[in-house]
Amino acid sequence: MTRDAATLPKHGGQPDGRTGIWSYEFLACCAISVLAFCNISIFYSFYAYLTELGIAPEWRGPLLALEPFTALLVRPFLGRFLTLKNGARFMRVGMALATLSLLCYPFATTIPVLALVRVIHGMGFVTVVGGLMGVLTAVLPRKNSAQGFGLFSVTILLPYAIMPAFVELVLPLLPGHGAAYALAAPLMLPAFLLLGPLGKRTRALAETLPAAHLLKPSWAEVCQGLRKPAVSLLIAGNLCLVAAHSIVFFFMRDFAVLLGMGNPGMFFTCANAATITLRVTGGHLLDTIDKGHMLTGAFLGLAVLLPLFGQAGAPLMLLGLAVLYGSGMALTMPLLNASMLHVSPPALRAFNANLLMVAVDAGFFAGPFLGGMLLAAGWTHAGLFRIGGAIMLLAGLCVLPVGREMRRAA
């Protein structure tokens, strides 16, 4: 899709006239993202925690999936009310709900109470991320979109690289996993402090943008946008990506323990260290390559890799596969987001960015729900990873036509 200079904000949407990605707004979004995702990345052990609580196997998958399922229901409606002007206010409300839920986990030991806490957590987290995406899509210059999304995605991955291994180290000193979840609550305080200046600057930026960028899209516009094949296929591809990844995220810990890994959190540390390294060192190259070819290739590589997890016979072999997995994942999120930015009309960019996040919610619901049901039915972890590989293959097939369309429009 060619750039429409008449409708895009000047200077990439930045209030001081800079054309690069480095602004207070971008850096504040990155910092808030790190802190927000710390309260999600610690839940890699939630399936094991439900087992320790004595929750029946048939309820573990649904409880795992309830937080993202809540976000899945809320986000489509939330997206229509989010604007650049109110994004900081939405984030403030979401952080308050997320903090409340984290503090409640140590006391939630029955299915009804756990379900309530998971719903509150889902509502809080989706509100924070919705506000973040609304601000981010407004402040990123389009010519640096893949680089910006790549760097922003590092802020999402950093907690996943650090928190699982950290939690495993401190867990013997704590009463249990519930206390570990509550420890993430104080991390919301510095995020609250960042929102004051961010809110003032984004409201000022909103005053400088064309009116078309601030209008809430009508349902007719949303439906018209979804009828565009590239938009729907990117959403489907993101759904498949996250569903496969969530199988790895929620069920890798128990598999690593079965292999004899002393600190199972090291799988996520190695995988995300590889992802972060590639995105930081090579993120600027993502805007110079054929996004469609690279995205399809990354998905096909991951489709081959995931079933190999089940064949790992030793912890060191699994850590080596983790590095390869992280390298493949390094390409997917920034390329998906940048592709969506290119195929979306200006009035729907923020909304479509949130639709990609709806796909994230749906994937994080489908993956653990399916995995929990299959384990309860007697499947092995190796079988789950084969299912994940098949879902990655489907993701590659979804984005293949999008690459062709982007090349024709270039």
Side-chain angles (χ1 to χ4, degrees):
M1 179 175 290
T2 58
R3 177 169 176 163
D4 183 353
T7 56
L8 284 175
K10 295 179 180 179
H11 312 305
Q14 297 187 42
D16 57 4
R18 288 172 294 162
T19 57
I21 62 174
W22 303 111
S23 64
Y24 175 85
E25 293 85 353
F26 178 71
L27 293 174
C29 284
C30 288
I32 292 170
S33 176
V34 169
L35 297 167
F37 277 90
C38 279
N39 82 68
I40 291 295
S41 60
I42 57 177
F43 285 88
Y44 73 99
S45 61
F46 196 58
Y47 189 86
Y49 178 51
L50 295 176
T51 304
E52 293 173 7
L53 289 178
I55 301 298
E58 61 270 19
W59 278 102
R60 295 171 196 165
L63 286 172
L64 268 178
L66 190 54
E67 182 265 330
F69 181 68
T70 302
L72 172 65
L73 294 180
V74 171
R75 197 187 302 273
F77 300 97
L78 184 68
R80 291 197 67 245
F81 296 98
L82 276 167
T83 67
L84 184 60
K85 285 185 176 181
N86 65 22
R89 290 198 295 271
F90 270 84
M91 282 188 266
R92 192 173 288 111
V93 172
M95 288 176 191
L97 291 174
T99 302
L100 173 64
S101 66
L102 289 169
L103 294 174
C104 289
Y105 274 102
F107 311 103
T109 57
T110 63
I111 291 173
V113 179
L114 278 166
L116 177 61
V117 172
R118 295 293 280 169
V119 168
I120 295 173
H121 197 177
M123 292 180 65
F125 187 69
V126 70
T127 306
V128 173
V129 176
L132 271 175
M133 292 304 295
V135 172
L136 187 66
T137 55
V139 302
L140 271 183
R142 191 179 179 198
K143 70 183 184 67
N144 300 115
S145 59
Q147 180 188 10
F149 279 120
L151 291 171
F152 181 76
S153 68
V154 169
T155 69
I156 296 174
L157 292 169
L158 192 60
Y160 289 95
I162 297 173
M163 295 303 289
F166 174 73
V167 170
E168 290 292 329
L169 288 175
V170 302
L171 198 55
L173 307 176
L174 300 173
H177 287 84
Y181 303 149
L183 280 179
L187 294 175
M188 293 293 97
L189 179 58
F192 274 113
L193 297 177
L194 289 168
L195 284 177
L198 180 62
K200 292 178 181 178
R201 293 175 71 97
T202 53
R203 286 192 294 272
L205 172 57
E207 298 298 328
T208 70
L209 295 179
H213 287 259
L214 303 176
L215 293 175
K216 300 172 186 175
S218 65
W219 281 117
E221 291 175 312
V222 170
C223 293
Q224 183 179 0
L226 286 174
R227 283 196 292 268
K228 187 172 184 178
V231 172
S232 299
L233 287 170
L234 285 171
I235 294 170
N238 206 34
L239 167 61
C240 293
L241 165 68
V242 177
H245 171 68
S246 67
I247 289 175
V248 176
F249 179 71
F250 283 111
F251 301 106
M252 180 55 73
R253 182 186 187 274
D254 287 352
F255 180 69
V257 169
L258 290 174
L259 282 185
M261 189 177 293
N263 187 336
M266 287 302 297
F267 174 90
F268 303 102
T269 299
C270 291
N272 288 293
T275 302
I276 291 169
T277 299
L278 286 178
R279 287 185 182 170
V280 170
T281 59
H284 63 287
L285 299 175
L286 294 179
D287 288 299
T288 65
I289 61 175
D290 186 309
K291 295 178 177 63
H293 279 150
M294 186 60 70
L295 189 55
T296 302
F299 278 132
L300 296 181
L302 288 168
V304 173
L305 181 64
L306 260 67
L308 296 181
F309 289 152
Q311 307 306 312
L316 188 60
M317 184 182 300
L318 188 62
L319 292 179
L321 293 173
V323 173
L324 295 177
Y325 179 69
S327 300
M329 293 293 290
L331 301 171
T332 55
M333 184 184 294
L335 289 176
L336 276 167
N337 280 279
S339 298
M340 181 64 86
L341 195 64
H342 278 269
V343 303
S344 300
L348 289 176
R349 281 178 191 149
F351 189 86
N352 285 349
N354 270 298
L355 284 180
L356 282 181
M357 297 305 296
V358 171
V360 171
D361 299 328
F364 266 107
F365 164 71
F369 187 87
L370 175 63
M373 294 297 100
L374 291 177
L375 284 181
W379 280 55
T380 64
H381 288 85
L384 292 189
F385 298 141
R386 287 194 293 271
I387 292 292
I391 297 173
M392 282 290 189
L393 176 60
L394 183 58
L397 296 176
C398 284
V399 301
L400 185 59
V402 179
R404 293 174 184 155
E405 178 177 331
M406 291 175 63
R407 285 190 291 275
R408 284 197 300 268

